[in-house]
mmCIF file of all heavy atoms in Angstrom:
data_model
loop_
_atom_site.group_PDB
_atom_site.id
_atom_site.type_symbol
_atom_site.label_atom_id
_atom_site.label_comp_id
_atom_site.label_asym_id
_atom_site.label_seq_id
_atom_site.Cartn_x
_atom_site.Cartn_y
_atom_site.Cartn_z
ATOM 1 N N ASN N 297 10.808 28.448 12.352
ATOM 2 C CA ASN N 297 10.830 28.560 10.884
ATOM 3 C C ASN N 297 9.660 29.400 10.384
ATOM 4 O O ASN N 297 9.811 30.205 9.470
ATOM 5 C CB ASN N 297 10.748 27.171 10.240
ATOM 6 C CG ASN N 297 12.119 26.525 10.103
ATOM 7 O OD1 ASN N 297 13.136 27.168 10.351
ATOM 8 N ND2 ASN N 297 12.153 25.260 9.717
ATOM 9 N N SER N 298 8.483 29.179 10.975
ATOM 10 C CA SER N 298 7.308 29.946 10.550
ATOM 11 C C SER N 298 7.540 31.437 10.769
ATOM 12 O O SER N 298 7.096 32.265 9.976
ATOM 13 C CB SER N 298 6.071 29.508 11.339
ATOM 14 O OG SER N 298 5.666 28.258 10.875
ATOM 15 N N LYS N 300 10.634 32.814 10.942
ATOM 16 C CA LYS N 300 11.759 33.217 10.086
ATOM 17 C C LYS N 300 11.320 33.406 8.634
ATOM 18 O O LYS N 300 11.699 34.380 7.992
ATOM 19 C CB LYS N 300 12.853 32.143 10.179
ATOM 20 C CG LYS N 300 14.077 32.472 9.376
ATOM 21 C CD LYS N 300 15.307 31.640 9.756
ATOM 22 C CE LYS N 300 15.116 30.163 9.837
ATOM 23 N NZ LYS N 300 16.380 29.424 9.957
ATOM 24 N N TYR N 301 10.512 32.453 8.125
ATOM 25 C CA TYR N 301 10.128 32.505 6.709
ATOM 26 C C TYR N 301 8.778 33.203 6.533
ATOM 27 O O TYR N 301 7.959 32.818 5.703
ATOM 28 C CB TYR N 301 10.126 31.098 6.109
ATOM 29 C CG TYR N 301 11.504 30.461 6.197
ATOM 30 C CD1 TYR N 301 11.777 29.462 7.113
ATOM 31 C CD2 TYR N 301 12.531 30.918 5.384
ATOM 32 C CE1 TYR N 301 13.046 28.894 7.216
ATOM 33 C CE2 TYR N 301 13.809 30.363 5.487
ATOM 34 C CZ TYR N 301 14.054 29.360 6.391
ATOM 35 O OH TYR N 301 15.310 28.828 6.497
ATOM 36 N N ASP N 332 1.264 28.337 8.677
ATOM 37 C CA ASP N 332 1.674 29.754 8.675
ATOM 38 C C ASP N 332 1.263 30.422 7.377
ATOM 39 O O ASP N 332 0.836 29.761 6.423
ATOM 40 C CB ASP N 332 3.195 29.875 8.945
ATOM 41 C CG ASP N 332 4.050 29.301 7.834
ATOM 42 O OD1 ASP N 332 3.762 29.572 6.652
ATOM 43 O OD2 ASP N 332 5.028 28.568 8.142
ATOM 44 N N ILE N 335 6.234 32.871 3.428
ATOM 45 C CA ILE N 335 6.616 32.938 2.006
ATOM 46 C C ILE N 335 6.400 31.604 1.281
ATOM 47 O O ILE N 335 6.357 31.561 0.060
ATOM 48 C CB ILE N 335 8.087 33.392 1.859
ATOM 49 C CG1 ILE N 335 9.016 32.461 2.656
ATOM 50 C CG2 ILE N 335 8.264 34.829 2.316
ATOM 51 C CD1 ILE N 335 10.505 32.735 2.426
ATOM 52 N N GLY N 336 6.307 30.514 2.036
ATOM 53 C CA GLY N 336 6.051 29.205 1.428
ATOM 54 C C GLY N 336 7.210 28.722 0.558
ATOM 55 O O GLY N 336 8.257 29.368 0.461
ATOM 56 N N PHE N 337 7.018 27.580 -0.068
ATOM 57 C CA PHE N 337 8.038 27.029 -0.970
ATOM 58 C C PHE N 337 7.350 26.124 -1.980
ATOM 59 O O PHE N 337 6.162 25.774 -1.817
ATOM 60 C CB PHE N 337 9.119 26.266 -0.194
ATOM 61 C CG PHE N 337 8.581 25.140 0.651
ATOM 62 C CD1 PHE N 337 8.388 23.867 0.125
ATOM 63 C CD2 PHE N 337 8.248 25.349 1.986
ATOM 64 C CE1 PHE N 337 7.884 22.844 0.899
ATOM 65 C CE2 PHE N 337 7.742 24.328 2.767
ATOM 66 C CZ PHE N 337 7.562 23.077 2.225
ATOM 67 N N ILE N 345 13.270 18.964 1.921
ATOM 68 C CA ILE N 345 13.587 19.910 3.007
ATOM 69 C C ILE N 345 13.874 19.199 4.336
ATOM 70 O O ILE N 345 14.465 19.795 5.219
ATOM 71 C CB ILE N 345 12.464 20.961 3.230
ATOM 72 C CG1 ILE N 345 11.115 20.276 3.388
ATOM 73 C CG2 ILE N 345 12.457 22.008 2.139
ATOM 74 C CD1 ILE N 345 10.032 21.233 3.855
ATOM 75 N N ILE N 350 19.693 20.853 3.548
ATOM 76 C CA ILE N 350 18.932 21.350 2.390
ATOM 77 C C ILE N 350 18.257 22.669 2.773
ATOM 78 O O ILE N 350 17.509 22.745 3.750
ATOM 79 C CB ILE N 350 17.865 20.321 1.940
ATOM 80 C CG1 ILE N 350 18.525 19.023 1.464
ATOM 81 C CG2 ILE N 350 16.944 20.907 0.858
ATOM 82 C CD1 ILE N 350 19.322 19.136 0.178
ATOM 83 N N ARG N 351 18.533 23.703 1.994
ATOM 84 C CA ARG N 351 17.932 25.024 2.241
ATOM 85 C C ARG N 351 17.364 25.530 0.917
ATOM 86 O O ARG N 351 18.006 25.425 -0.121
ATOM 87 C CB ARG N 351 18.990 26.012 2.746
ATOM 88 C CG ARG N 351 19.790 25.503 3.937
ATOM 89 C CD ARG N 351 20.378 26.652 4.709
ATOM 90 N NE ARG N 351 19.337 27.464 5.311
ATOM 91 C CZ ARG N 351 19.321 28.780 5.356
ATOM 92 N NH1 ARG N 351 20.302 29.444 4.790
ATOM 93 N NH2 ARG N 351 18.344 29.429 5.932
ATOM 94 N N LEU N 352 16.175 26.077 0.982
ATOM 95 C CA LEU N 352 15.557 26.551 -0.261
ATOM 96 C C LEU N 352 15.697 28.065 -0.393
ATOM 97 O O LEU N 352 15.499 28.611 -1.467
ATOM 98 C CB LEU N 352 14.065 26.182 -0.285
ATOM 99 C CG LEU N 352 13.710 24.713 -0.094
ATOM 100 C CD1 LEU N 352 12.202 24.518 -0.127
ATOM 101 C CD2 LEU N 352 14.359 23.866 -1.190
ATOM 102 N N HIS N 353 16.011 28.702 0.719
ATOM 103 C CA HIS N 353 16.041 30.170 0.678
ATOM 104 C C HIS N 353 17.442 30.713 0.901
ATOM 105 O O HIS N 353 18.251 30.092 1.591
ATOM 106 C CB HIS N 353 15.039 30.742 1.684
ATOM 107 C CG HIS N 353 13.631 30.363 1.352
ATOM 108 N ND1 HIS N 353 12.973 29.335 1.985
ATOM 109 C CD2 HIS N 353 12.784 30.830 0.403
ATOM 110 C CE1 HIS N 353 11.765 29.212 1.462
ATOM 111 N NE2 HIS N 353 11.633 30.117 0.489
ATOM 112 N N GLU N 359 18.873 33.488 7.762
ATOM 113 C CA GLU N 359 19.951 32.730 8.404
ATOM 114 C C GLU N 359 19.513 31.289 8.694
ATOM 115 O O GLU N 359 18.332 31.058 8.993
ATOM 116 C CB GLU N 359 20.297 33.400 9.730
ATOM 117 C CG GLU N 359 21.535 34.225 9.645
ATOM 118 C CD GLU N 359 22.035 34.628 11.019
ATOM 119 O OE1 GLU N 359 21.384 34.283 12.013
ATOM 120 O OE2 GLU N 359 23.086 35.267 11.063
ATOM 121 N N GLY N 360 20.447 30.369 8.654
ATOM 122 C CA GLY N 360 20.071 28.996 9.013
ATOM 123 C C GLY N 360 21.140 28.007 8.601
ATOM 124 O O GLY N 360 22.089 28.357 7.890
ATOM 125 N N THR N 361 20.976 26.787 9.057
ATOM 126 C CA THR N 361 21.991 25.760 8.780
ATOM 127 C C THR N 361 21.456 24.629 7.897
ATOM 128 O O THR N 361 22.208 23.792 7.406
ATOM 129 C CB THR N 361 22.465 25.130 10.103
ATOM 130 O OG1 THR N 361 21.307 24.592 10.760
ATOM 131 C CG2 THR N 361 23.143 26.145 10.996
ATOM 132 N N GLY N 362 20.141 24.566 7.756
ATOM 133 C CA GLY N 362 19.559 23.463 6.973
ATOM 134 C C GLY N 362 19.504 22.158 7.767
ATOM 135 O O GLY N 362 19.354 21.075 7.198
ATOM 136 N N ILE N 363 19.618 22.283 9.088
ATOM 137 C CA ILE N 363 19.598 21.060 9.921
ATOM 138 C C ILE N 363 18.254 20.913 10.656
ATOM 139 O O ILE N 363 17.827 19.805 10.975
ATOM 140 C CB ILE N 363 20.767 21.081 10.938
ATOM 141 C CG1 ILE N 363 22.106 21.075 10.192
ATOM 142 C CG2 ILE N 363 20.716 19.881 11.882
ATOM 143 C CD1 ILE N 363 23.306 21.227 11.072
ATOM 144 N N GLY N 364 17.588 22.072 10.884
ATOM 145 C CA GLY N 364 16.381 22.074 11.727
ATOM 146 C C GLY N 364 15.344 21.025 11.370
ATOM 147 O O GLY N 364 14.914 20.251 12.236
ATOM 148 N N LEU N 365 14.956 20.947 10.102
ATOM 149 C CA LEU N 365 13.883 20.000 9.742
ATOM 150 C C LEU N 365 14.369 18.551 9.736
ATOM 151 O O LEU N 365 13.595 17.640 10.005
ATOM 152 C CB LEU N 365 13.282 20.373 8.379
ATOM 153 C CG LEU N 365 12.388 21.631 8.378
ATOM 154 C CD1 LEU N 365 11.849 21.892 6.983
ATOM 155 C CD2 LEU N 365 11.233 21.496 9.367
ATOM 156 N N ALA N 366 15.683 18.368 9.435
ATOM 157 C CA ALA N 366 16.241 17.000 9.518
ATOM 158 C C ALA N 366 16.158 16.529 10.970
ATOM 159 O O ALA N 366 15.826 15.363 11.256
ATOM 160 C CB ALA N 366 17.678 16.995 9.031
ATOM 161 N N SER N 389 2.756 27.824 4.558
ATOM 162 C CA SER N 389 3.089 26.390 4.644
ATOM 163 C C SER N 389 2.357 25.759 5.818
ATOM 164 O O SER N 389 2.025 26.430 6.797
ATOM 165 C CB SER N 389 4.587 26.174 4.883
ATOM 166 O OG SER N 389 5.345 27.040 4.097
ATOM 167 N N PHE N 391 3.005 22.378 8.276
ATOM 168 C CA PHE N 391 3.793 21.193 8.650
ATOM 169 C C PHE N 391 2.900 20.299 9.491
ATOM 170 O O PHE N 391 2.214 20.765 10.394
ATOM 171 C CB PHE N 391 5.057 21.606 9.411
ATOM 172 C CG PHE N 391 6.093 22.182 8.487
ATOM 173 C CD1 PHE N 391 6.021 23.498 8.067
ATOM 174 C CD2 PHE N 391 7.117 21.382 7.995
ATOM 175 C CE1 PHE N 391 6.953 24.021 7.179
ATOM 176 C CE2 PHE N 391 8.052 21.882 7.100
ATOM 177 C CZ PHE N 391 7.960 23.216 6.691
HETATM 178 P P1 ADP B 501 17.059 26.275 8.050
HETATM 179 O O1 ADP B 501 18.134 26.298 9.069
HETATM 180 O O2 ADP B 501 17.515 26.692 6.695
HETATM 181 O O3 ADP B 501 15.809 26.979 8.460
HETATM 182 P P2 ADP B 501 15.484 23.837 8.074
HETATM 183 O O4 ADP B 501 15.962 22.441 7.990
HETATM 184 O O5 ADP B 501 14.756 24.253 9.300
HETATM 185 O O6 ADP B 501 16.770 24.723 7.844
HETATM 186 O O7 ADP B 501 14.571 24.098 6.832
HETATM 187 C C1 ADP B 501 15.010 23.706 5.552
HETATM 188 C C2 ADP B 501 14.473 24.649 4.500
HETATM 189 O O8 ADP B 501 13.057 24.493 4.381
HETATM 190 C C3 ADP B 501 14.653 26.108 4.850
HETATM 191 O O9 ADP B 501 15.947 26.566 4.454
HETATM 192 C C4 ADP B 501 13.530 26.774 4.080
HETATM 193 O O10 ADP B 501 13.968 26.987 2.762
HETATM 194 C C5 ADP B 501 12.428 25.736 4.071
HETATM 195 N N1 ADP B 501 11.407 26.000 5.121
HETATM 196 C C6 ADP B 501 11.339 25.454 6.350
HETATM 197 N N2 ADP B 501 10.274 25.904 7.016
HETATM 198 C C7 ADP B 501 9.641 26.758 6.192
HETATM 199 C C8 ADP B 501 8.459 27.576 6.306
HETATM 200 N N3 ADP B 501 7.705 27.579 7.404
HETATM 201 N N4 ADP B 501 8.133 28.330 5.239
HETATM 202 C C9 ADP B 501 8.862 28.317 4.119
HETATM 203 N N5 ADP B 501 9.978 27.587 3.947
HETATM 204 C C10 ADP B 501 10.368 26.821 4.973
#
Side-chain angles (χ1 to χ4, degrees):
N297 274 352
S298 286
K300 182 164 50 169
Y301 300 106
D332 66 45
I335 56 173
F337 57 87
I345 51 170
I350 297 292
R351 308 203 65 222
L352 305 179
H353 297 100
E359 258 193 358
T361 58
I363 297 174
L365 287 180
S389 318
F391 285 81

